[in-house]
Amino acid sequence: MTTLTASSSRPADSGYAAAATLVAVVLFLLGWSVLHRGFFARHPIVDTPVYERYGSAMDSGQVPYRDFAVEYPPGALPVFVLPALGGAHGDTYRRRFEALMAFLGELMLVAVALALVSLGAGKRWLLAALGLAAVAPLLLGPVVLSRFDLWPAALTAIALAALVRGRLRIGHLVLGAAVAAKLYAVVLVPIALVYVWRTRGRREALLCGALLVGVVAAAFVPFLVLAPHGVWDSLWNQASRPLQIESLGAALLLASHHVFGTGVTMESSHGSQNLAGTSADAIAVAQSILQISALIAVWILFARGPMTRTRLLYASAAAIVAFVALGKVLSPQFLIWLIPVVALLRGRRGLTAACVLAAGLVLTQLWFPYRYWELALHFGALESWLVLLRDLALVALLWIAVRGLGQRETERLAGGRAA
C-alpha cells in the first residue's frame, strides 16, 4: 500500500511524478467528498464551532489570549480567522474551513511527492506512498473535516521535503512554523539540528537553529508582550491535561475494568473525557515519563548512526509516533500527524509501517465519532477493545520506526548520502 524498496524500480521521471501527484490529489478530493455523505455524516463530533468563535472574535478586532482564551498556539490562528473574514458564520464558516483543510491536504500530498522524487523513488514506491497519503483521511473518517491538524501536518511534510532536498534553512524555517502551529512538531527539532550539524557542520546547524527559533519567536512574542498570562494559561492547559480516555494507559484501565471488574471513573475537563482517580493519575505520570524517555532514546539513536536521509525520515516518524502513542492524551486527529511521515518510509519496513498505520486509522473510525459516547459515558466493551487495539497498533508502529533507525543501507539513488 506504500513504500517498497527503492531498488525495485528505476527512479520515476518528473513527468510521471507529476501525473502520479495529480492522481493522488484527485483521489484525495474524491475521498473528501465521500466523507460528507451517508454513513460518514452521522453522529458528528466537531470542533469547528470553537474555531468559528476564535475566528469571529479576531475578525471583530479582539486580540487572542488577551481578550479571549485560546487553547492552541499562535501559529494556529490563521486557519481560524481566514474562514471568518467578512463576518462569516455557521455553514459559510464550515464550508470555508473545510475547503481550507482540503487545500492543505493537497499541499501535504505535493510535499510528500517532492520528497519522494528527491529520494529517487521508483514508480511503484511513488504510487503506493502517494496512495497511502491520499486515502488516509478516508480511512480515518470525518474527524479530518472539522480539525485543523492538516495545517501542522502539511507544514511538517514541507519541512521534511526541504530537508531531504538539501534545502536545510528553508526546512528549519517551515519546521518553526509547524511548531508554532501545533507544538508536537518540536519533537523533530533535535533530529533536524543533529542532521545539519553532522552533514554541514556546527555553523550551519546554529544558523538553522536560529532561523527556527526566530519563526517560533515571531509567532509567540507579540502575544507574550500583550497577554503573557493568556499565553501561559494556553500552554499550561495542554500540559496539565489528565489521562484522556483514548490514551494507551486509559485503554489498559478499561481493559482491566472489563476483565477483572476494576472500577473506573470518567470526568470531563480540558475539552475531553478523561479517567480520574489514583490509578489514572499515576498512569498519566508514568506515561509522560515513558513518552519523554522514548523521545530521548530516538534522538540519541539517530545521533549515533550515519546521517542518511532514510534514517532522518525513520527518526522523524519514530519521534512523532512516540509522542502520539505514549502520550497521556491521544485524540483521533493526532493520527493525521502520522500520515506524511509514514508515507515517506522506504523499504519493506516502510511497507509494514504503512499497513499498520492504515489498520490504526480504520480501528479509530470504527468507533469515532459514531460510538464515542458509548465509550466515554458507558465504557462500552466493544469500543474499549477497539481503542486498545488501535493504541497497540501505534505501539507496534513505533517499534517498526525505531527498528528502521538501525538500517545501514547506502542511498544510491538521487544522489546517495545526504552529505
Side-chain angles (χ1 to χ4, degrees):
M1 192 172 178
T2 184
T3 51
L4 302 171
T5 53
S7 59
S8 63
S9 58
R10 295 180 179 179
D13 58 44
S14 58
Y16 186 93
T21 304
L22 179 60
V23 170
V25 167
V26 172
L27 187 61
F28 176 91
L29 291 176
L30 287 174
W32 196 267
S33 176
V34 170
L35 289 174
H36 290 83
R37 291 170 169 78
F39 170 79
F40 296 102
R42 300 174 186 173
H43 311 294
I45 299 177
V46 299
D47 280 1
T48 40
V50 177
Y51 305 159
E52 180 183 341
R53 187 169 70 249
Y54 296 156
S56 297
M58 287 184 280
D59 186 51
S60 65
Q62 297 184 51
V63 177
Y65 308 105
R66 186 191 70 183
D67 300 330
F68 62 95
V70 181
E71 62 176 298
Y72 303 108
L77 298 176
V79 296
F80 302 153
V81 70
L82 283 175
L85 294 178
H89 295 285
D91 283 343
T92 300
Y93 183 92
R94 178 187 59 79
R95 287 193 297 269
R96 289 183 179 180
F97 178 82
E98 290 180 3
L100 177 58
M101 290 302 107
F103 169 76
L104 292 171
E106 295 163 7
L107 191 62
M108 179 185 73
L109 283 172
V110 172
V112 168
L114 289 173
L116 290 168
V117 170
S118 295
L119 292 167
K123 293 181 178 180
R124 287 181 289 176
W125 181 14
L126 185 71
L127 283 176
L130 289 175
L132 170 68
V135 304
L138 184 60
L139 298 179
L140 180 57
V143 66
V144 299
L145 302 176
S146 63
R147 306 299 194 275
F148 78 96
D149 295 82
L150 279 168
W151 169 229
L155 290 172
T156 300
I158 295 169
L160 290 175
L163 290 175
V164 299
R165 292 176 70 86
R167 306 294 191 264
L168 303 181
R169 298 177 187 180
I170 294 175
H172 282 77
L173 284 169
V174 181
L175 183 56
V179 173
K182 207 154 190 179
L183 297 177
Y184 81 88
V186 75
V187 303
L188 300 183
V189 173
I191 295 169
L193 290 177
V194 166
Y195 180 74
V196 177
W197 192 301
R198 292 276 303 278
T199 59
R200 298 291 180 86
R202 180 178 64 178
R203 181 176 179 180
E204 184 68 16
L206 292 174
L207 176 57
C208 287
L211 292 173
L212 187 150
V213 171
V215 172
V216 176
F220 275 89
V221 168
F223 297 105
L224 285 170
V225 172
L226 293 171
H229 293 295
V231 176
W232 170 252
D233 287 344
S234 173
L235 297 174
W236 177 248
N237 182 62
Q238 296 298 317
S240 62
R241 292 181 66 173
L243 188 70
Q244 197 251 1
I245 200 167
E246 303 164 47
S247 65
L248 176 62
L252 292 173
L253 285 176
L254 290 175
S256 176
H257 168 71
H258 290 294
V259 175
F260 303 109
T262 54
V264 286
T265 303
M266 189 277 286
E267 289 185 359
S268 294
S269 65
H270 297 76
S272 64
Q273 285 63 53
N274 318 292
L275 295 189
T278 303
S279 297
D281 292 343
I283 289 178
V285 173
Q287 274 202 233
S288 296
I289 295 173
L290 180 61
Q291 180 191 53
I292 294 170
S293 300
L295 286 169
I296 293 173
V298 168
W299 297 336
I300 293 174
L301 186 60
F302 174 69
R304 295 180 63 181
M307 291 294 110
T308 64
R309 294 175 298 178
T310 295
R311 294 187 76 252
L312 169 70
L313 295 173
Y314 267 99
S316 300
I320 295 180
V321 175
F323 186 85
V324 172
L326 303 179
K328 61 182 179 178
V329 177
L330 204 175
S331 296
Q333 63 266 25
F334 291 6
L335 274 69
I336 297 172
W337 311 343
L338 307 181
I339 295 171
V341 291
V342 172
L344 290 174
L345 300 183
R346 68 188 296 169
R348 294 185 180 277
R349 193 169 280 117
L351 173 62
T352 304
C355 292
V356 173
L357 174 60
L361 296 173
V362 173
L363 284 168
T364 302
Q365 186 183 159
L366 288 177
W367 58 270
F368 189 92
Y370 323 109
R371 302 183 63 84
Y372 174 76
W373 294 114
E374 187 66 27
L375 169 74
L377 301 180
H378 307 294
F379 310 130
L382 173 63
E383 295 76 20
S384 298
W385 293 117
L386 287 173
V387 171
L388 179 59
L389 285 174
R390 189 276 309 274
D391 293 349
L392 292 176
L394 294 179
V395 173
L397 183 58
L398 172 59
W399 174 250
I400 294 167
V402 170
R403 287 293 301 274
L405 280 173
Q407 293 183 168
R408 300 280 176 167
E409 65 189 56
T410 21
E411 296 177 357
R412 295 187 179 91
L413 299 176
R417 297 173 61 85

